[in-house]
Amino acid sequence: MSTLRFHAIKESLNRKPLEIKEFKRRSEAFGANVFNQTSMRQYLTKSALNSITEAIEKGTKIDRVTADHISTGMKEWAVSKGATHYTHWFQPLTGSTAEKHDAFFETIGDGLSIEKFEGSQLVQQEPDASSFPNGGIRNTFEARGYTAWDPSSPAFVYGTTLCIPTVFVAYTGEALDYKTPLLRALQIVDNAAVAVCKYFDKNVKKVNASLGWEQEYFLIDSTLVASRPDIALTGRTLLGHSPAKGQQLDDHYFGTIPNRAMAYMRDLENECMLLGIPVKTRHNEVAPNQFELAPIFEEANLAVDHNSLLMDVMQKVAERHNFSVLLHEKPFAGVNGSGKHNNWSLGTDTGVNLLSPGKTPMSNLQFLTFFINTIKAVLKYEELLRASIASASNDHRLGANEAPPAIISIFIGEQLTKVLEELETVTKGKLSPKEKTDLKLNVVGKIPEILLDNTDRNRTSPFAFTGNKFEFRAVGSIANCANPMTVLNTIVAKQLIDFKVEVDKLIDGKGMKKDDAIFNVLREYIKTSKTILFEGNGYSEDWEKEAKKRGLSNNKTTPKALKVKISESTLELFENLGVMNKVESEARYEIEMEDYVMRIQIESRVIGDIARNHVVPTAVRYQNILIKNVTGLKTIYGDNFKEVAKEQLSLIEQISKHIEAINSLVTQMTEERKTCNTYIDIDKKADGYCNKVKPLFDKIRYNCDKLELLVDDELWPLTKYRELLFTK
Ligand code: ADP
Ligand code: MG
């Protein structure tokens, strides 16, 4: 083992789990660092509290005077929690979170100072926006960008900083972040769903989209990570031979959590409690050193903020434990990747989950309405949904023989398939009373309680109905959930709007009864939506062929998948609903394509560097040892040496072949990169990186991994897979 590797492994083996103090009761710690209802009641005047509550519930504006009251109360609370600074906390299009800290501290002359935080500082800030990606938005308009307070996501104290969730927009109002379009989409789906709910219950005034994410991640000792330039720079290994033992034995999934990892999780969960992130579940995942963390679901905007915050907190807590958190979708070849299932549903202010089959016939028709409309929306916009989760890192899962495939389909289970089949056969026009009763009763009878327990599932499906919610499983582990959530809620909103028009037409135009009209429209939807329903194995080749026949898209790479984002129909969809105008949509496309290019470019440089500067020199050193050995054998055995040194000679030759292959492939890759860099057009550039540069990674890796097997372990400089994955 090389000295570098030896020390890294020794260091990580010698680490002890940190002692973690538990709260007596988690419920008491929950939200302690959040400016929530409890702390607002304590620190705000009654009228300030009312106006903030109204802003949260109805989206009303908060006036200047009230903002001053709120900011003062918020500051007092934050200082009591040890905060010295405040920041507008936002999610620029980099995918991570951004913050710029300012002190509350202000001088007032005569050597005196006070703690101050004004309403205007709470409501709006102007961060130096020039270094955030903007996809040309700010070039065409104005350079300035503003952050503006989002009262619907509560402020929190993290460390010694009061963090205020904000949107980030250009001077002209165009969104420069992920949150703004999400908030708009949530508003649209609220309106559309409320309108449809009124068919069933006139009292419904608000519908919230909910999100419960499940975050998967790898936990690797930080010294081991530091010994791997590929992980350090790209978040994943670019080479490394698979270990003799991988996940074949499936002995990690739900197994005992190793002590150090357990200490990390408890520490992380404690932090989450204080920050009001309602984490609930933790367990080992399929791969060695892979874990999952899931919260209780929340309103989608808050859940997205919480996930973004969590990803940040995960890294910070990991530092204390000398761990690195790998959020990349595919850190290790040949080992399971990580995703972030997005569990999604719609719930009313009257407490009804619209995707819960429920117990009474009437609420079942409501369930069927939302269930079938979601299916139809996903069918119509499957390609857009696929695009919403496209990224260089997620390409390693989607379309690469890994869960789930790049083809979007929906799994609903046997029971609901039967229900739909039945519904499809109802009479066109007016339903007989018997039919109606039968149908409704059947629907109730056919959905067994067990389904609610999520036992009926197909792990290969990218979009599955799991009892009382849909689970979008194709989202990447490192992704910001805002992107897929914006698309999903927008397409469902659009579908619900169209549905209402159709139903009203039957009611008003044809004088049909409401229930008959709804059944009629739903029946037609079922007929046309079958193409998206698939219950079989999503990884099989047969499915690829079948999906093609059905006309479903299968965009395996990001550049291909993203194209639909700037198609006429997508641009119109977002523009007409007011979620994003053309400029905003096009900017996002550009940013995501740029991001793709940059990531592949960095990976290409890193793999080129490691292959040439680490692997080849090591192989040459080993080859020299062999040559010396052969020369020695020659002096002993004379002409007979070839017989005795057969193995060594063969090794020398194999090593030469791999070195030669690596050198020529790396040169070729560098040339391809240079060519791509001359392209101004982003589509051409991304296609070049995708189809010319990236395919060389595997070839280079193949030769490097072969050398790893040939070269003396003592010389090999890079920490090996078995050491990365099995050192505990
Ligand atoms: P797993 O997929 O790991 O087996 P589950 O299917 O039980 O786990 O999913 C759990 C996740 O689903 C949790 O994050 C939970 O909060 C979320 N969830 C449950 N109900 C809803 C809902 N109505 N809306 C959104 N998310 C929900
Ligand atoms: Mg799940």
Side-chain angles (χ1 to χ4, degrees):
M1 193 179 288
S2 74
T3 11
L4 179 74
R5 264 169 67 213
F6 175 76
H7 285 295
I9 292 162
K10 194 171 147 211
E11 204 172 315
S12 60
L13 282 175
N14 281 341
R15 294 196 207 281
K16 297 270 168 298
L18 290 192
E19 290 283 334
I20 304 301
K21 272 209 198 99
E22 290 281 1
F23 301 115
K24 270 218 189 78
R25 282 167 184 271
R26 286 200 166 182
S27 56
E28 276 164 23
F30 186 71
N33 289 350
V34 180
F35 199 50
N36 53 19
Q37 282 293 329
T38 319
S39 33
M40 281 199 281
R41 255 185 221 136
Q42 210 176 333
Y43 283 88
L44 296 185
T45 59
K46 192 142 195 204
S47 76
L49 180 63
N50 285 344
S51 93
I52 198 169
T53 311
E54 205 171 294
I56 295 166
E57 280 166 10
K58 299 188 193 132
T60 47
K61 285 224 155 39
I62 292 170
D63 65 60
R64 271 303 296 271
V65 181
T66 317
D68 277 333
H69 284 302
I70 297 172
S71 66
T72 308
M74 199 187 273
K75 178 205 68 191
E76 283 308 312
W77 167 79
V79 169
S80 81
K81 294 281 167 192
T84 53
H85 288 65
Y86 67 91
T87 181
H88 275 197
W89 182 83
F90 57 105
Q91 297 161 47
L93 296 165
T94 51
S96 37
T97 57
E99 46 196 86
K100 174 186 159 237
H101 299 187
D102 280 302
F104 291 127
F105 169 84
E106 247 170 58
T107 52
I108 49 168
D110 299 332
L112 299 173
S113 68
I114 52 165
E115 247 97 43
K116 204 168 167 196
F117 184 48
E118 287 179 357
S120 56
Q121 293 164 310
L122 164 68
V123 174
Q124 193 174 310
Q125 294 269 302
E126 191 186 333
D128 176 16
S130 57
S131 21
F132 294 108
N134 61 83
I137 287 182
R138 280 185 294 99
N139 302 341
T140 35
F141 297 94
E142 249 259 25
R144 273 179 291 172
Y146 290 101
T147 51
W149 179 33
D150 165 22
S152 65
S153 180
F156 55 91
V157 168
Y158 187 51
T160 53
T161 307
L162 166 67
C163 300
I164 300 145
T166 57
V167 294
F168 182 38
V169 293
Y171 175 66
T172 41
E174 266 90 10
L176 291 170
D177 66 351
Y178 281 115
K179 191 193 253 282
T180 311
L182 174 68
L183 286 171
R184 293 176 188 152
L186 292 173
Q187 185 60 56
I188 310 290
V189 83
D190 175 8
N191 298 345
V194 166
V196 170
C197 279
K198 299 255 189 225
Y199 287 137
F200 309 98
D201 180 359
K202 292 262 181 284
N203 295 320
V204 173
K205 293 200 179 56
K206 189 166 171 61
V207 170
N208 274 324
S210 55
L211 165 64
W213 38 260
E214 301 165 55
Q215 180 72 55
E216 292 183 338
Y217 62 99
F218 278 86
L219 214 47
I220 309 288
D221 186 89
S222 52
T223 318
L224 295 179
V225 167
S227 73
R228 293 282 311 216
D230 46 358
I231 305 184
L233 294 174
T234 70
R236 72 170 179 119
T237 54
L238 294 168
L239 43 86
H241 203 279
S242 359
K245 176 182 187 279
Q247 59 191 57
Q248 307 96 319
L249 300 177
D250 279 335
D251 49 359
H252 186 71
Y253 193 55
F254 281 21
T256 14
I257 300 173
N259 290 340
R260 262 183 78 200
M262 188 60 157
Y264 167 76
M265 287 180 194
R266 282 166 52 199
D267 201 1
L268 174 63
E269 286 168 18
N270 284 350
E271 288 288 351
C272 286
M273 282 299 114
L274 295 172
L275 291 166
I277 307 173
V279 291
K280 195 169 162 67
T281 314
R282 62 177 171 216
H283 61 75
N284 285 1
E285 262 304 326
V286 179
N289 286 346
Q290 190 188 27
F291 306 95
E292 183 186 293
L293 178 80
I296 297 167
F297 69 93
E298 298 175 287
E299 182 278 318
N301 175 42
L302 186 58
V304 168
D305 279 1
H306 276 165
N307 183 248
S308 299
L309 178 59
L310 173 93
M311 290 195 284
D312 195 42
V313 175
M314 283 176 96
Q315 303 288 6
K316 292 202 171 114
V317 174
E319 278 172 31
R320 293 205 275 272
H321 294 255
N322 293 299
F323 274 130
S324 278
V325 175
L326 306 189
L327 291 171
H328 192 286
E329 282 81 355
K330 191 74 179 170
F332 305 98
V335 172
N336 254 55
S338 304
K340 180 153 51 201
H341 295 178
N342 275 205
N343 296 273
W344 170 89
S345 187
L346 295 170
T348 67
D349 57 348
T350 53
V352 177
N353 175 356
L354 295 168
L355 287 172
S356 173
K359 290 224 161 86
T360 62
M362 221 33 219
S363 67
N364 259 286
L365 185 53
Q366 179 169 298
F367 158 71
L368 285 173
T369 299
F370 284 90
F371 178 66
I372 293 167
N373 272 291
T374 305
I375 293 175
K376 180 139 168 85
V378 172
L379 168 64
K380 185 146 184 226
Y381 297 103
E382 47 92 11
E383 204 170 357
L384 185 56
L385 209 51
R386 160 68 181 99
S388 75
I389 45 159
S391 71
S393 50
N394 210 15
D395 278 0
H396 294 281
R397 294 169 72 227
L398 315 175
N401 286 329
E402 161 118 22
I407 308 162
I408 301 289
S409 66
I410 307 180
F411 170 86
I412 58 170
E414 204 181 319
Q415 315 292 343
L416 282 163
T417 305
K418 278 203 194 116
V419 169
L420 294 194
E421 274 164 11
E422 204 133 318
L423 233 153
E424 202 187 333
T425 61
V426 298
T427 329
K428 204 164 177 180
K430 197 169 171 343
L431 276 67
S432 70
K434 182 172 180 312
E435 211 171 16
K436 247 189 252 181
T437 323
D438 277 1
L439 196 63
K440 286 176 185 170
L441 288 177
N442 276 348
V443 169
V444 191
K446 285 246 165 62
I447 302 166
E449 286 288 312
I450 202 162
L451 218 159
L452 296 171
D453 293 324
N454 276 349
T455 27
D456 191 3
R457 44 183 39 199
N458 174 342
R459 281 281 164 198
T460 69
S461 178
F463 202 92
F465 184 74
T466 46
N468 55 3
K469 60 190 186 289
F470 278 100
E471 186 169 342
F472 190 13
R473 301 204 183 115
V475 184
S477 47
I478 205 170
N480 184 313
C481 304
N483 214 342
M485 280 299 111
T486 302
V487 170
L488 182 57
N489 287 294
T490 302
I491 62 177
V492 170
K494 169 76 172 108
Q495 180 50 47
L496 289 171
I497 292 168
D498 292 350
F499 170 77
K500 180 146 194 318
V501 170
E502 286 186 60
V503 171
D504 286 350
K505 224 188 258 166
L506 292 183
I507 296 174
D508 302 335
K510 302 222 160 155
M512 229 183 238
K513 280 254 171 57
K514 187 185 70 193
D515 281 9
D516 290 333
I518 292 172
F519 271 125
N520 272 277
V521 176
L522 291 182
R523 184 193 52 229
E524 292 314 302
Y525 282 3
I526 293 169
K527 282 188 185 152
T528 52
S529 295
K530 281 189 195 147
T531 34
I532 195 78
L533 299 178
F534 179 64
E535 306 283 302
N537 177 4
Y539 308 159
S540 68
E541 264 177 46
D542 287 350
W543 170 231
E544 271 200 45
K545 285 186 205 138
E546 164 76 16
K548 198 172 174 187
K549 261 194 239 152
R550 294 190 189 185
L552 297 175
S553 70
N554 184 6
N555 297 325
K556 294 193 175 190
T557 66
T558 294
K560 211 167 158 221
L562 288 177
K563 297 247 149 64
V564 71
K565 284 200 163 189
I566 48 163
S567 72
E568 267 317 303
S569 63
T570 307
L571 293 177
E572 260 171 40
L573 169 76
F574 284 123
E575 174 127 5
N576 291 346
L577 290 178
V579 174
M580 282 189 282
N581 64 26
K582 272 191 184 159
V583 177
E584 291 171 315
S585 290
E586 281 165 356
R588 272 160 187 72
Y589 172 74
E590 195 126 316
I591 289 165
E592 283 165 27
M593 290 288 263
E594 286 279 359
D595 181 81
Y596 179 83
V597 166
M598 250 131 41
R599 285 183 197 277
I600 304 294
Q601 189 179 63
I602 293 169
E603 289 193 344
S604 165
R605 286 182 179 147
V606 173
I607 196 173
D609 170 59
I610 298 180
R612 276 235 165 100
N613 303 330
H614 297 237
V615 174
V616 170
T618 307
V620 169
R621 266 166 72 196
Y622 181 53
Q623 202 184 35
N624 280 339
I625 294 174
L626 291 169
I627 290 170
K628 216 167 143 193
N629 174 270
V630 172
T631 326
L633 289 173
K634 198 174 171 184
T635 56
I636 299 172
Y637 292 96
D639 282 350
N640 278 344
F641 88 96
K642 276 195 183 156
E643 206 37 52
V644 188
K646 214 164 123 196
E647 281 306 315
Q648 290 88 323
L649 286 168
S650 151
L651 273 173
I652 291 170
E653 203 179 310
Q654 287 178 59
I655 290 174
S656 284
K657 273 194 191 142
H658 290 305
I659 290 178
E660 194 193 318
I662 290 172
N663 279 332
S664 86
L665 286 165
V666 171
T667 306
Q668 192 189 337
M669 181 175 71
T670 313
E671 289 309 315
E672 294 288 5
R673 221 163 57 213
K674 278 188 193 151
T675 311
C676 289
N677 291 345
T678 62
Y679 301 148
I680 311 279
D681 182 58
I682 189 66
D683 289 20
K684 204 171 163 194
K685 202 172 188 167
D687 284 343
Y689 267 99
C690 179
N691 301 314
K692 297 278 194 223
V693 178
K694 195 170 162 253
L696 292 167
F697 293 4
D698 280 347
K699 294 184 180 162
I700 296 170
R701 173 182 195 141
Y702 169 82
N703 287 285
C704 292
D705 289 357
K706 283 282 174 211
L707 285 173
E708 182 184 324
L709 287 186
L710 296 177
V711 169
D712 182 357
D713 182 66
E714 197 138 330
L715 298 176
W716 197 255
L718 299 161
T719 309
K720 294 186 174 179
Y721 262 38
R722 63 162 187 270
E723 295 149 357
L724 290 166
L725 289 168
F726 292 99
T727 311
K728 286 193 175 133

